Amino acid sequence: MTPATNWKILLSKIVPLAFLLMGDVLLAITLATVILHVPFRGNFLLFLALSSMYVFVGISLGIMLATVSSLQQQVVLTSFFINLPMVQTSGAIAPIEAMPPSFQVLSLLNPLRHYIAIVRGILLKGVGLDVLWMNVLALVAFAVVLLTISVSKFRSQLS
Protein backbone atom coordinates (compact mmCIF):
# COMPACT_ATOMS: atom_id res chain seq x y z
CA MET A 1 0.00 0.00 0.00
CA THR A 2 1.21 3.42 -0.88
CA PRO A 3 -0.44 6.76 -0.16
CA ALA A 4 0.36 7.89 -3.71
CA THR A 5 -2.33 7.73 -6.36
CA ASN A 6 -1.90 5.98 -9.69
CA TRP A 7 -1.30 9.29 -11.48
CA LYS A 8 1.41 10.34 -9.03
CA ILE A 9 3.23 7.05 -9.50
CA LEU A 10 2.90 7.29 -13.27
CA LEU A 11 4.08 10.91 -13.36
CA SER A 12 7.03 10.07 -11.13
CA LYS A 13 8.08 7.56 -13.79
CA ILE A 14 7.43 9.75 -16.83
CA VAL A 15 8.66 13.24 -15.85
CA PRO A 16 12.30 12.48 -14.90
CA LEU A 17 12.75 10.26 -17.93
CA ALA A 18 11.24 12.89 -20.22
CA PHE A 19 13.68 15.51 -18.91
CA LEU A 20 16.64 13.17 -19.40
CA LEU A 21 15.58 12.23 -22.92
CA MET A 22 15.00 15.85 -23.90
CA GLY A 23 18.51 16.54 -22.57
CA ASP A 24 19.72 13.83 -24.95
CA VAL A 25 17.86 15.51 -27.82
CA LEU A 26 19.47 18.85 -26.98
CA LEU A 27 22.91 17.25 -26.68
CA ALA A 28 22.50 15.43 -30.00
CA ILE A 29 21.33 18.52 -31.88
CA THR A 30 24.12 20.60 -30.34
CA LEU A 31 26.76 18.06 -31.37
CA ALA A 32 25.25 17.73 -34.84
CA THR A 33 25.23 21.47 -35.48
CA VAL A 34 28.50 22.43 -33.78
CA ILE A 35 30.78 19.48 -34.53
CA LEU A 36 29.25 17.96 -37.67
CA HIS A 37 28.02 21.28 -39.09
CA VAL A 38 24.56 19.94 -39.87
CA PRO A 39 22.47 22.93 -40.93
CA PHE A 40 19.46 23.83 -38.81
CA ARG A 41 17.10 25.62 -41.17
CA GLY A 42 13.78 25.30 -39.33
CA ASN A 43 12.03 26.51 -36.21
CA PHE A 44 13.89 25.40 -33.07
CA LEU A 45 10.82 25.57 -30.81
CA LEU A 46 8.83 23.44 -33.25
CA PHE A 47 11.69 20.94 -33.27
CA LEU A 48 11.70 20.80 -29.46
CA ALA A 49 7.91 20.44 -29.26
CA LEU A 50 7.80 17.60 -31.78
CA SER A 51 10.84 15.93 -30.22
CA SER A 52 9.09 15.98 -26.86
CA MET A 53 6.07 14.39 -28.55
CA TYR A 54 8.28 11.57 -29.84
CA VAL A 55 9.91 11.20 -26.43
CA PHE A 56 6.43 10.86 -24.99
CA VAL A 57 5.61 8.14 -27.56
CA GLY A 58 8.79 6.27 -26.63
CA ILE A 59 8.07 6.49 -22.91
CA SER A 60 4.50 5.29 -23.49
CA LEU A 61 5.81 2.33 -25.47
CA GLY A 62 8.25 1.52 -22.67
CA ILE A 63 5.56 1.71 -20.00
CA MET A 64 3.31 -0.50 -22.09
CA LEU A 65 6.07 -3.11 -22.43
CA ALA A 66 6.78 -2.95 -18.71
CA THR A 67 3.15 -3.44 -17.76
CA VAL A 68 2.58 -6.30 -20.20
CA SER A 69 5.69 -8.19 -19.07
CA SER A 70 6.07 -9.82 -15.70
CA LEU A 71 9.89 -9.80 -15.51
CA GLN A 72 12.51 -7.22 -16.38
CA GLN A 73 14.22 -9.75 -18.65
CA GLN A 74 11.01 -10.10 -20.65
CA VAL A 75 10.91 -6.34 -21.18
CA VAL A 76 14.52 -6.29 -22.41
CA LEU A 77 14.02 -9.21 -24.78
CA THR A 78 10.71 -7.87 -26.08
CA SER A 79 12.27 -4.46 -26.69
CA PHE A 80 14.86 -6.11 -28.96
CA PHE A 81 12.06 -7.51 -31.10
CA ILE A 82 10.39 -4.11 -31.28
CA ASN A 83 13.32 -1.69 -31.53
CA LEU A 84 15.24 -3.47 -34.27
CA PRO A 85 12.35 -3.59 -36.77
CA MET A 86 11.46 0.00 -35.85
CA VAL A 87 14.96 1.18 -36.77
CA GLN A 88 15.09 -0.96 -39.92
CA THR A 89 11.74 0.28 -41.27
CA SER A 90 12.13 3.91 -40.19
CA GLY A 91 14.06 5.16 -43.20
CA ALA A 92 17.08 6.06 -41.07
CA ILE A 93 19.28 3.28 -42.44
CA ALA A 94 17.76 2.50 -45.81
CA PRO A 95 15.38 4.70 -47.79
CA ILE A 96 11.74 3.72 -47.44
CA GLU A 97 11.41 3.82 -51.23
CA ALA A 98 13.97 0.97 -51.48
CA MET A 99 11.88 -1.31 -49.25
CA PRO A 100 9.40 -3.83 -50.63
CA PRO A 101 5.90 -2.33 -50.96
CA SER A 102 4.56 -4.39 -48.04
CA PHE A 103 7.24 -3.00 -45.73
CA GLN A 104 6.58 0.52 -46.98
CA VAL A 105 2.98 0.14 -45.86
CA LEU A 106 3.98 -1.45 -42.53
CA SER A 107 6.42 1.37 -41.89
CA LEU A 108 3.46 3.74 -41.60
CA LEU A 109 2.80 2.05 -38.24
CA ASN A 110 6.28 3.01 -37.07
CA PRO A 111 6.46 6.20 -34.98
CA LEU A 112 10.19 6.51 -35.66
CA ARG A 113 9.50 6.84 -39.40
CA HIS A 114 7.31 9.85 -38.75
CA TYR A 115 9.78 11.43 -36.33
CA ILE A 116 12.65 11.03 -38.79
CA ALA A 117 10.56 12.69 -41.50
CA ILE A 118 9.84 15.54 -39.07
CA VAL A 119 13.49 15.98 -38.09
CA ARG A 120 14.69 15.91 -41.69
CA GLY A 121 12.00 18.38 -42.67
CA ILE A 122 12.81 20.84 -39.90
CA LEU A 123 16.60 20.55 -39.86
CA LEU A 124 17.47 20.21 -43.51
CA LYS A 125 14.52 21.69 -45.38
CA GLY A 126 13.28 24.29 -42.90
CA VAL A 127 9.63 23.33 -43.37
CA GLY A 128 6.88 23.91 -40.84
CA LEU A 129 3.64 22.35 -39.70
CA ASP A 130 1.97 23.08 -43.02
CA VAL A 131 4.15 20.37 -44.61
CA LEU A 132 4.66 18.06 -41.62
CA TRP A 133 1.09 17.93 -40.32
CA MET A 134 0.49 14.31 -41.40
CA ASN A 135 3.57 13.09 -39.53
CA VAL A 136 2.66 15.20 -36.50
CA LEU A 137 -0.87 13.80 -36.56
CA ALA A 138 0.56 10.27 -36.70
CA LEU A 139 2.79 10.97 -33.67
CA VAL A 140 -0.16 12.37 -31.73
CA ALA A 141 -2.21 9.28 -32.59
CA PHE A 142 0.62 6.99 -31.45
CA ALA A 143 0.96 8.94 -28.21
CA VAL A 144 -2.76 8.79 -27.45
CA VAL A 145 -3.12 5.09 -28.27
CA LEU A 146 0.04 3.96 -26.50
CA LEU A 147 -0.59 6.13 -23.45
CA THR A 148 -4.18 4.91 -23.17
CA ILE A 149 -3.08 1.28 -23.32
CA SER A 150 -0.19 1.91 -20.92
CA VAL A 151 -2.30 3.74 -18.34
CA SER A 152 -5.08 1.15 -18.39
CA LYS A 153 -2.59 -1.72 -18.05
CA PHE A 154 -0.72 0.16 -15.33
CA ARG A 155 -3.93 0.76 -13.35
CA SER A 156 -4.94 -2.89 -13.58
CA GLN A 157 -1.42 -3.90 -12.50
CA LEU A 158 -1.62 -1.70 -9.38
CA SER A 159 -5.09 -2.93 -8.45
Side-chain angles (χ1 to χ4, degrees), residues 135-153:
N135 293 311
V136 172
L137 192 61
L139 275 186
V140 169
F142 281 118
V144 168
V145 168
L146 289 173
L147 188 65
T148 302
I149 293 170
S150 300
V151 168
S152 66
K153 288 282 190 184

Side-chain angles (χ1 to χ4, degrees), residues 113-131:
R113 173 194 172 155
H114 300 286
Y115 180 65
I116 287 176
I118 288 169
V119 169
R120 284 182 179 158
I122 293 173
L123 260 69
L124 302 177
K125 299 174 187 173
V127 297
L129 279 177
D130 54 330
V131 175

